[in-house]
Amino acid sequence: MLTFLASIALLILGYMFYGRVVDRIFGIDSNNETPAYTKADGLDYMPMPWWKGWLIQLLNIAGLGPIYGALMGALYGPVAFIWIVVGCIFAGAVHDYFSGMMSLRHGGAQYPALVGRYLGKNVKIITNVVSLVLMILVAAAFTAGPAQLIAQLTPISFSAALVIIFVYFLLATVLPVNQVIGRIYPLFGAILIFMAVAIAGALLFSGKPIPNVTLENLHPGELPIWPLLMVTVSCGAISGFHCTQSPIIARTLKNERDGRKVFYGAMIGEGVIALIWAAAGMTFFGGTAGLQEAIAAGGPGGVVNEISTSLLGQLGGILAILGVIILPITTGDTALRSSRMILEELVGAKNENANLKQALLYSIPVTIPAFYLSTIDYSFLWRYVGWSNQLVAAVTLWAATVYCLRHGKFHWVCGIPALFMTGVVSTYIFYAPEGFKLSYQTSMMIGTVITLIVTAWYIQQIRRHQQKLETKVAA
């Protein structure tokens, strides 16, 4: 129990202190006029209160991610606490903050545009493809589950439920951000927070011993911690999907000083939620072996339902059902909204001409494939989402690193987690079943070599930008 409480305290302290450090490094200017005013279009660019932006951002990046991912990560044992805390403070929150604030500084630009500006056009092309595929897969994956549950609980068929959900998706994608997302997301965000807090309180008073941190790998399947844990627990530690969502809120912030509260703060909030569910998974089933049996029997959704119902009674059951239906849907709709915004930016659509017709035009190309994938067994594709998600996170951190280098800022705040995530994704793809399926030792060697090569590139970038800055100062 002590470790669990200390971990939550560390996350809060991380926001209070390290979040301020990151804010200072970025160099906010509260006198800068934000895109919400300079590019106001009545659709995506419009000012909203920071607290509403925080709740929307939390729901955008969270959904069921910090619940399901944390439960799967809990199979490794209390070592998952370490990854959630350290990853969230020094990698995930930094990633989310810089992706949001860089977007803010560049007129609400989307992630691929930022990558192109700082890492080059070739990387931008790849990033556009990876980002759109990732979000289409996310939208499809987070639709099929809720539709199946709706079909089980109501007379509505699975196909009809899918149609209803995608009609909502289109409305949330094309209507002004304050009409659907701005109105219902704060409420759903509050449900997510209440659910986590209720579980935490019930867990602390349940009398069950919450395990303390150990570096021992307790995974029943004896899967290695590195790099699998870092891909399994993405939401709650660091997730590339978040950088695709940050521009939605960057276009609504009233002042740059709200960036730390919204972007860094939402990631810390997600980390707390992930900690609670990881602790619940380890504790409720008496260890990782019991948790694995429960997941095998009913999947993560069944585990959430069993924990919620047992700890919170009828209220828990209602919360579990609401969570499994509502939370993934609110991830799917913003995934498609971001896809629509990326397509608009890709073809150069002008925001001053923004209207429902234009928004609908750019929503259809991403909605149709998402709908199709939600109707078939595409699990073989979904296996690649974890790796591509963390690849996007690594690329975002490298773009932020180059941003800092160009502006003479303390680049290590982004560079160190970028190197770490480079090691994660380069090792994972060679070892994982959906990758090259090489031996663990071989994958570790290849991952190390790739990371060293990228490190050499990083050092070269440092020297090049230092020379540029020195030349500029001398001139």
Side-chain angles (χ1 to χ4, degrees):
M1 182 182 294
L2 181 62
T3 295
F4 172 63
L5 295 175
S7 296
I8 293 179
L10 285 172
L11 284 174
I12 295 172
L13 290 172
Y15 168 77
M16 294 172 61
F17 295 102
Y18 196 69
R20 291 184 184 276
V21 170
V22 173
D23 214 24
R24 194 173 298 114
I25 290 172
F26 182 82
I28 63 167
D29 186 347
S30 58
N31 293 319
N32 285 343
E33 198 170 11
T34 63
Y37 297 103
T38 61
K39 302 179 74 173
D41 64 357
L43 180 65
D44 297 312
Y45 292 89
M46 58 179 63
M48 290 198 302
W50 74 263
W51 61 267
K52 184 175 287 190
W54 181 83
L55 282 169
I56 295 172
Q57 176 74 359
L58 177 64
L59 204 61
N60 283 358
I61 66 176
L64 285 175
I67 300 177
Y68 283 12
L71 288 171
M72 298 301 294
L75 290 172
Y76 291 89
V79 68
F81 289 161
I82 299 176
W83 167 236
I84 291 172
V85 172
V86 176
C88 187
I89 294 173
F90 298 104
V94 172
H95 167 279
D96 290 13
Y97 176 86
F98 269 88
S99 64
M101 294 303 290
M102 287 168 62
S103 175
L104 189 72
R105 281 283 173 90
H106 293 291
Q110 289 294 307
Y111 160 70
L114 296 173
V115 168
R117 178 184 289 266
Y118 292 103
L119 297 181
K121 293 182 179 179
N122 292 333
V123 181
K124 178 182 178 180
I125 293 172
I126 298 172
T127 300
N128 268 307
V129 175
V130 172
S131 298
L132 288 172
V133 170
L134 174 62
M135 285 186 286
I136 288 171
L137 286 174
V138 166
F142 284 92
T143 303
Q148 289 172 350
L149 186 57
I150 290 173
Q152 293 172 4
L153 298 176
T154 69
I156 300 174
S157 68
F158 173 75
S159 298
L162 276 181
V163 171
I164 292 171
I165 292 173
F166 271 91
V167 168
Y168 162 74
F169 278 0
L170 275 176
L171 290 174
T173 301
V174 305
L175 290 176
V177 68
N178 65 336
Q179 289 191 10
V180 176
I181 293 175
R183 289 180 179 177
I184 65 174
Y185 266 45
L187 174 61
F188 292 158
I191 291 175
L192 177 65
I193 295 169
F194 176 78
M195 185 177 181
V197 171
I199 291 294
L203 194 65
L204 289 172
F205 291 101
S206 67
K208 298 178 181 291
I210 302 175
N212 289 316
V213 161
T214 172
L215 295 178
E216 184 181 0
N217 183 1
L218 301 179
H219 198 291
E222 299 182 352
L223 296 178
I225 292 175
W226 173 273
L228 300 187
L229 176 60
M230 291 74 192
V231 176
T232 302
V233 183
S234 53
C235 290
I238 177 172
S239 169
F241 177 71
H242 297 185
C243 71
T244 67
Q245 303 301 293
S246 294
I248 294 177
I249 304 303
R251 297 181 179 192
T252 69
L253 287 189
K254 293 181 176 181
N255 197 293
E256 285 191 3
R257 65 171 176 266
D258 296 331
R260 180 173 69 94
K261 291 178 284 191
V262 172
F263 299 119
Y264 199 98
M267 185 64 225
I268 293 296
E270 186 182 44
V272 172
I273 293 170
L275 271 175
I276 291 170
W277 282 99
M282 295 178 213
T283 305
F284 186 82
F285 297 99
T288 58
L291 175 59
Q292 186 182 51
E293 292 178 3
I295 292 175
V303 170
V304 170
N305 183 61
E306 186 172 352
I307 292 175
S308 301
T309 303
S310 299
L311 292 180
L312 303 177
Q314 186 177 1
L315 173 62
I318 294 173
L319 287 175
I321 293 173
L322 285 175
V324 173
I325 292 177
I326 294 174
L327 297 181
I329 291 175
T330 56
T331 299
D333 60 6
T334 51
L336 292 181
R337 190 179 185 95
S338 295
S339 301
R340 185 261 293 170
M341 291 161 64
I342 288 176
L343 282 178
E344 288 176 338
E345 202 165 75
L346 183 62
V347 301
K350 302 297 184 181
N351 73 285
E352 59 263 25
N353 297 324
N355 53 56
L356 294 183
K357 184 178 179 180
Q358 175 181 297
L360 183 61
L361 176 65
Y362 290 101
S363 298
I364 292 174
V366 292
T367 302
I368 291 176
F371 180 82
Y372 173 71
L373 287 173
S374 66
T375 64
I376 66 173
D377 180 14
Y378 63 98
S379 57
F380 69 99
L381 288 175
W382 181 245
R383 291 184 301 180
Y384 293 91
V385 170
W387 176 77
S388 61
N389 182 49
Q390 297 304 61
L391 175 63
V392 167
V395 173
T396 301
L397 286 169
W398 282 123
T401 302
V402 175
Y403 171 87
C404 290
L405 282 169
R406 287 190 185 179
H407 293 85
K409 302 178 186 295
F410 186 73
H411 54 85
W412 297 104
V413 71
C414 298
I416 292 177
L419 282 171
F420 180 87
M421 292 307 298
T422 299
V424 167
V425 296
S426 57
T427 303
Y428 181 87
I429 194 61
F430 287 99
Y431 175 69
E434 62 269 25
F436 294 97
K437 302 179 183 179
L438 300 181
S439 69
Y440 185 65
Q441 291 75 16
T442 302
S443 301
M444 286 286 289
M445 290 176 59
I446 296 175
T448 300
V449 170
I450 292 175
T451 305
L452 288 174
I453 292 173
V454 175
T455 301
W457 169 83
Y458 183 24
I459 294 173
Q460 182 184 40
Q461 292 296 311
I462 294 172
R463 291 173 177 171
R464 186 164 70 88
H465 284 89
Q466 284 179 340
Q467 290 174 354
K468 284 185 176 181
L469 288 173
E470 289 170 1
T471 303
K472 187 176 180 180
V473 171

